[in-house]
Amino acid sequence: MKLAATGRAVRLAWSKRSGTAIGARLRVEARPQQQLRFQSTVVLQTPIIEHNSKTRSLEIDGKSHAIDEWTNVPPSILSFLPRNLHLRPSHPVSITRQVIERSFPSPTYTHYNDIHPIVTVAQNFDSLGFPQDHPGRSRTDTYYINKDTVLRTHTSAHEAEIFRDNKSEGYTISADVYRRDAIDRSHYPVFHQMEGSRMWDRRKVPGGDIVKAVWADLERLPKHDLEVEDPNPTIHPERNPLQGEHHSSEEVEAIAAHLKRSLEGMVVELFSRAKKAAVAAGNTNADVMEPLKVRWVEAYFPFTSPSYELEVFWQGDWLEILGCGVTKQELLINAGVPDQLGWAFGVGLERVAMLLFSIPDIRLFWSKDPRFLSQFSTMENINTFVPFSRHPSCYKDVSFWLRSSSSSAGGGLKANAQDFHENDVMEVVRDIGGDLVEDVKLTDEFTHPVSGRRSLCYRINYRSLERTLTNEEANELHNSVRERLVKKLGVELR
Ligand code: PHE
């Protein structure tokens, strides 16, 4: 994503393993103690890391990582590591974090906000009980540094170590997370999550009575008059089971009630501020003034059971904002705290910030444009975002045939019909167009009746948030996309 040719500030380059600079270093906005350096024996024209040499390594923040056939993280994605939007005091992602943290105060909750995003596959998946064939593990969905190391795909990657650390009854973790995904106004390969958890210890609660202790704690939570739909039972034997060998249904009823009330309180805190902002901005539309409504739906996560998602009715639609549930006891047993039980949740900060500040496009969060950044101040002053001028779209189509055989050179990505994945197209477009691409949509798909080959057509919307793109610029980007699709995915252009 984002090459120098597209007008971005970051310059990519490579240096030799021996230390002799061939190109320059990856220049990133400096955060003290955090520096990225790529080591390679070859200078690559493209910032995609090649996978064909075992001798090469990636050095990130002073740590060396071997590159192997699993490596799929481009330098453009690594250049996000030092941005830390959730820590920049007046950034909307950070303000959202601060508002949510108020609902989970210390000392009950410890706030972890500076955990490094490179984690092991064991942390991100194994420790949480993800099955081996879970789609989240695939290279089409996750950025691998190498076969054992990934950019975390969620803040839950740190649950096990924090449980093991066992510093307080609860915690929140706010952090950047990384996922290969679609390109549109609500998806970006880097975003921020806040994880929260609360535990009770069987040996520490009065009389060993978890049920009583949890209900007593719930009584101390702030009350609210939010309209809540919760049509499903807390526990459902097939759809949302109790961990019967570890928990009683009374314990889970109490823990789930505490979880739900805590998160409803968080929503009230957030959306009452959003409403105040909307009204202050003169927006008194019926949907803004309508009482806030939320609903609980059943969900599935490998590391909680039962599990739920919370949706908020906001300006005419139900929006999923978080996932949560009763933590799997295996996780706590493995973390050396078998006597504890409780809940966890994970919320997408950009998702919430888009609602809180009326920010229409997720790319804006990464903008360094003062017209964006100067609009936000503190959590006491939430204000509705005032869009600067909207620049015209420039649509370009690309159509291609997927390869019919599975031959593939050098361990690169394959694009035959069986293992083609749309996220690989997205990655090529992001790598070249960066923030100049607003969305990418599949507009046509067909299989040749005789040869059986599959053809796809994608429509790319080139539109900058900051300026008007010329047709020449869009053409140049688009030609690079076409070439790279051939080179990386082996497709045949039509
Ligand atoms: N990690 C989950 C996600 O990214 C969210 C979650 C966190 C769900 C904690 C349950 C408990 O979707």
Side-chain angles (χ1 to χ4, degrees):
M1 116 194 276
K2 294 204 218 162
L3 288 171
T6 67
R8 75 165 174 177
V10 176
R11 280 225 328 266
L12 301 169
W14 298 77
S15 63
K16 253 191 175 168
R17 185 169 252 286
S18 67
T20 317
I22 305 179
R25 280 200 190 148
L26 174 70
R27 279 226 328 252
V28 291
E29 203 186 317
R31 176 173 88 162
Q33 297 142 1
Q34 191 160 22
Q35 234 180 31
L36 307 181
R37 193 144 53 85
F38 294 90
Q39 295 195 324
S40 168
T41 49
V42 271
V43 181
L44 297 175
Q45 294 305 312
T46 79
I48 302 272
I49 296 158
E50 299 294 340
H51 315 127
N52 56 1
S53 165
K54 287 197 187 94
T55 58
R56 279 180 295 142
S57 64
L58 261 174
E59 199 173 298
I60 305 165
D61 295 335
K63 231 180 139 185
S64 186
H65 303 272
I67 290 173
D68 62 21
E69 66 286 358
W70 280 78
T71 309
N72 68 350
V73 55
S76 52
I77 289 295
L78 291 173
S79 75
F80 284 96
L81 264 59
R83 293 288 301 272
N84 284 311
L85 302 184
H86 65 296
L87 298 176
R88 299 170 58 132
S90 57
H91 194 280
V93 169
S94 166
I95 294 174
T96 305
R97 166 185 66 79
Q98 294 168 56
V99 175
I100 299 178
E101 281 175 356
R102 280 178 64 123
S103 297
F104 303 99
S106 67
T108 306
Y109 296 86
T110 305
H111 300 142
Y112 296 89
N113 293 335
D114 196 16
I115 311 183
H116 200 276
I118 295 183
V119 299
T120 60
V121 168
Q123 286 173 293
N124 201 80
F125 297 120
D126 304 345
S127 72
L128 296 160
F130 275 69
Q132 281 307 323
D133 61 353
H134 192 282
R137 290 184 184 256
S138 86
R139 286 175 69 229
T140 57
D141 287 37
T142 295
Y143 289 110
Y144 279 84
I145 306 283
N146 58 41
K147 75 174 188 342
D148 301 317
T149 319
V150 296
L151 291 179
R152 72 181 149 226
T153 64
H154 55 175
T155 41
S156 306
H158 303 291
E159 279 195 6
E161 64 208 272
I162 295 178
F163 287 138
R164 186 172 291 281
D165 219 25
N166 198 13
K167 255 177 85 169
S168 48
E169 295 161 296
Y171 62 80
T172 67
I173 314 164
S174 302
D176 40 336
V177 300
Y178 298 76
R179 290 184 196 173
R180 294 177 100 231
D181 214 331
I183 301 179
D184 63 38
R185 291 207 276 155
S186 62
H187 290 88
Y188 205 78
V190 191
F191 60 101
H192 296 79
Q193 281 188 333
M194 174 125 109
E195 184 102 356
S197 177
R198 173 75 159 94
M199 291 291 137
W200 289 267
D201 193 317
R202 290 188 191 285
R203 292 166 318 171
K204 292 194 184 143
V205 295
D209 192 341
I210 291 279
V211 177
K212 205 163 149 204
V214 176
W215 284 114
D217 280 333
L218 184 140
E219 278 311 309
R220 284 190 277 273
L221 291 174
K223 306 223 168 13
H224 62 71
D225 54 8
L226 185 64
E227 203 180 308
V228 181
E229 285 178 30
D230 194 0
N232 297 301
T234 306
I235 299 161
H236 186 282
E238 286 97 44
R239 299 193 312 257
N240 220 358
L242 175 78
Q243 302 170 52
E245 65 282 35
H246 299 296
H247 304 154
S248 72
S249 59
E250 291 76 19
E251 284 168 346
V252 168
E253 288 290 348
I255 290 169
H258 189 279
L259 166 66
K260 288 176 176 176
R261 172 75 76 76
S262 301
L263 292 170
E264 289 158 7
M266 173 196 91
V267 167
V268 168
E269 178 83 35
L270 282 165
F271 288 87
S272 56
R273 284 169 193 258
K275 191 166 180 174
K276 227 173 87 191
V279 172
N283 180 0
T284 47
N285 291 343
D287 47 4
V288 172
M289 299 316 291
E290 230 179 69
L292 187 60
K293 257 192 310 193
V294 302
R295 73 177 179 199
W296 288 103
V297 298
E298 291 172 340
Y300 169 79
F301 301 101
F303 41 96
T304 52
S305 193
S307 307
Y308 317 96
E309 275 167 359
L310 182 62
E311 299 181 338
V312 178
F313 196 72
W314 178 255
Q315 308 199 348
D317 276 317
W318 285 105
L319 277 158
E320 181 218 314
I321 61 160
L322 63 84
C324 63
V326 176
T327 301
K328 285 262 179 92
Q329 206 59 33
E330 280 85 12
L331 223 154
L332 297 159
I333 294 168
N334 293 339
V337 287
D339 295 313
Q340 297 190 15
L341 63 163
W343 53 250
F345 74 87
V347 56
L349 290 179
E350 276 84 350
R351 232 308 142 85
V352 172
M354 287 174 91
L355 305 174
L356 198 52
F357 297 91
S358 301
I359 294 173
D361 189 311
I362 198 165
R363 289 177 294 166
L364 281 162
F365 292 108
W366 300 94
S367 175
K368 293 175 180 167
D369 191 326
R371 288 176 298 174
F372 176 76
L373 293 172
S374 67
Q375 293 199 26
F376 311 98
S377 57
T378 65
M379 69 170 177
E380 309 308 334
N381 277 307
I382 306 276
N383 48 299
T384 301
F385 172 64
V386 183
F388 27 98
S389 53
R390 192 150 164 78
H391 301 283
S393 284
C394 188
Y395 292 101
K396 307 260 172 214
D397 288 351
V398 56
S399 313
F400 50 81
W401 294 107
L402 299 182
R403 281 196 290 196
S404 46
S405 83
S406 59
S407 68
S408 163
L413 296 164
K414 293 176 246 168
N416 55 65
Q418 299 83 50
D419 46 25
F420 168 79
H421 198 293
E422 184 162 284
N423 282 350
D424 295 333
V425 174
M426 300 293 171
E427 190 72 10
V428 165
V429 176
R430 279 200 194 279
D431 211 41
I432 290 169
D435 286 355
L436 301 179
V437 176
E438 180 167 299
D439 58 58
V440 179
K441 289 197 181 99
L442 181 67
T443 52
D444 192 33
E445 185 176 10
F446 111 110
T447 304
H448 192 279
V450 180
S451 69
R453 286 177 90 193
R454 217 168 123 212
S455 160
L456 302 172
C457 179
Y458 284 92
R459 177 158 298 168
I460 304 174
N461 176 8
Y462 296 94
R463 166 157 46 192
S464 166
L465 290 162
E466 288 157 8
R467 63 196 175 83
T468 298
L469 287 183
T470 64
N471 194 43
E472 289 71 50
E473 262 179 297
N475 273 336
E476 204 181 304
L477 292 169
H478 195 62
N479 284 334
S480 305
V481 167
R482 289 167 58 89
E483 277 168 30
R484 185 81 66 83
L485 286 172
V486 172
K487 199 166 145 222
K488 284 285 157 197
L489 308 187
V491 304
E492 187 187 318
L493 297 175
R494 300 189 54 188

